[in-house]
Amino acid sequence: SQTIHQWPATLVQPVGSPLSLECTVEGTSNPNLYWYRQAAGRGLQLLFYSVGIGQISSEVPQNLSASRPQDRQFILSSKKLLLSDSGFYLCAWTTGEGYGYTFGSGTRLTVV
Amino acid sequence: AQSVTQLDSQVPVFEEAPVELRCNYSSSVSVYLFWYVQYPNQGLQLLLKYLSGSTLVESINGFEAEFNKSQTSFHLRKPSVHISDTAEYFCAVSAYQGGSEKLVFGKGTKLTVNP
């Protein structure tokens, strides 16, 4: 069966520290992968998406970056976190048009 | 560009009452429409979707949504809600661009079912 794993579930990091969030998908190949951020009252904001290994598209300029080193692995990173990076980060995947997304369980990031 | 407007940020209702969560979208191309549900501190789960065909789509837990092209709406309804339906609901519209399907989400509606 197809599953998506996202970790860690919660993370508290000081301002200026680095960040690495990982997402992996099982049971499918060549998925489209996405990173979303959910902030209170602001809905879901698409941060990055990837249609293949090494192919990353950024939707908004920000303090974050993404990488896809393997077909089913998607990583969200930052060199130096800002307070404004706090939020709930969701990874998602899809295999094609009209299927919608399958979401991971999310990472609650608090920058202090 | 596509956009989604969820007209109500919060909807409180009593148990066993009917509910309607409103969603309007804008798009210059044919779209697919989705409703997702999110329980506290969890990811989003697909509730139902409209791709084509019958404009009324149903979920397994009693929700339904009707696609209305002339009004560009995709409202979610349930005739009798339960306490367990308390969650946040997101409407989304998709477009297939650049080799990837992108979903644009509304800001969500928090449904609170009270006893």
Side-chain angles (χ1 to χ4, degrees):
Chain A
S1 63
Q2 300 157 335
T3 56
I4 180 169
H5 302 281
Q6 197 179 335
W7 67 90
T10 60
L11 192 60
V12 179
Q13 293 284 95
V15 168
S17 64
L19 173 73
S20 180
L21 302 181
E22 188 165 343
C23 171
T24 60
V25 179
E26 295 179 358
T28 187
S29 59
N30 197 31
N32 292 337
L33 296 170
Y34 306 83
W35 278 110
Y36 278 84
R37 178 169 59 202
Q38 187 177 22
R42 298 186 61 184
L44 288 97
Q45 181 185 35
L46 177 61
L47 302 176
F48 301 96
Y49 70 94
S50 172
V51 300
I53 296 174
Q55 300 179 59
I56 307 295
S57 296
S58 174
E59 288 292 298
V60 293
Q62 59 206 321
N63 185 41
L64 302 169
S65 62
S67 62
R68 185 170 177 175
Q70 300 179 42
D71 181 46
R72 288 169 288 180
Q73 184 185 31
F74 204 23
I75 298 172
L76 183 69
S77 304
S78 174
K79 293 183 179 178
K80 290 185 178 182
L81 284 169
L82 306 172
L83 287 174
S84 58
D85 292 324
S86 295
F88 192 48
Y89 289 83
L90 291 158
C91 180
W93 70 274
T94 187
T95 54
E97 187 178 4
Y99 286 91
Y101 294 1
T102 299
F103 282 86
S105 54
T107 295
R108 175 77 59 191
L109 172 66
T110 304
V111 182
V112 297
Chain B
Q2 290 75 30
S3 67
V4 176
T5 302
Q6 291 185 245
L7 298 164
D8 306 297
S9 60
Q10 298 189 49
V11 174
V13 295
F14 288 108
E15 192 174 16
E16 298 184 2
V19 70
E20 179 180 77
L21 308 183
R22 296 179 292 172
C23 172
N24 287 90
Y25 69 93
S26 66
S27 176
S28 58
V29 299
S30 297
V31 296
Y32 301 136
L33 294 160
F34 304 83
W35 275 100
Y36 284 83
V37 59
Q38 184 181 32
Y39 300 101
N41 293 312
Q42 294 186 25
L44 277 72
Q45 302 172 31
L46 180 64
L47 190 60
L48 47 76
K49 62 183 178 182
Y50 171 79
L51 303 181
S52 64
S54 172
T55 57
L56 185 66
V57 291
E58 299 177 351
S59 71
I60 58 174
N61 57 353
F63 283 94
E64 63 180 27
E66 186 164 17
F67 170 60
N68 188 318
K69 187 174 182 179
S70 62
Q71 297 186 8
T72 60
S73 67
F74 191 53
H75 301 332
L76 182 70
R77 295 187 291 262
K78 188 171 186 179
S80 176
V81 294
H82 302 291
I83 298 288
S84 59
D85 293 324
T86 295
E88 190 158 19
Y89 292 80
F90 292 91
C91 181
V93 60
S94 78
Y96 203 77
Q97 297 173 346
S100 176
E101 180 182 37
K102 293 185 187 180
L103 287 188
V104 175
F105 288 86
K107 292 190 174 181
T109 298
K110 289 187 178 179
L111 174 65
T112 303
V113 182
N114 298 301

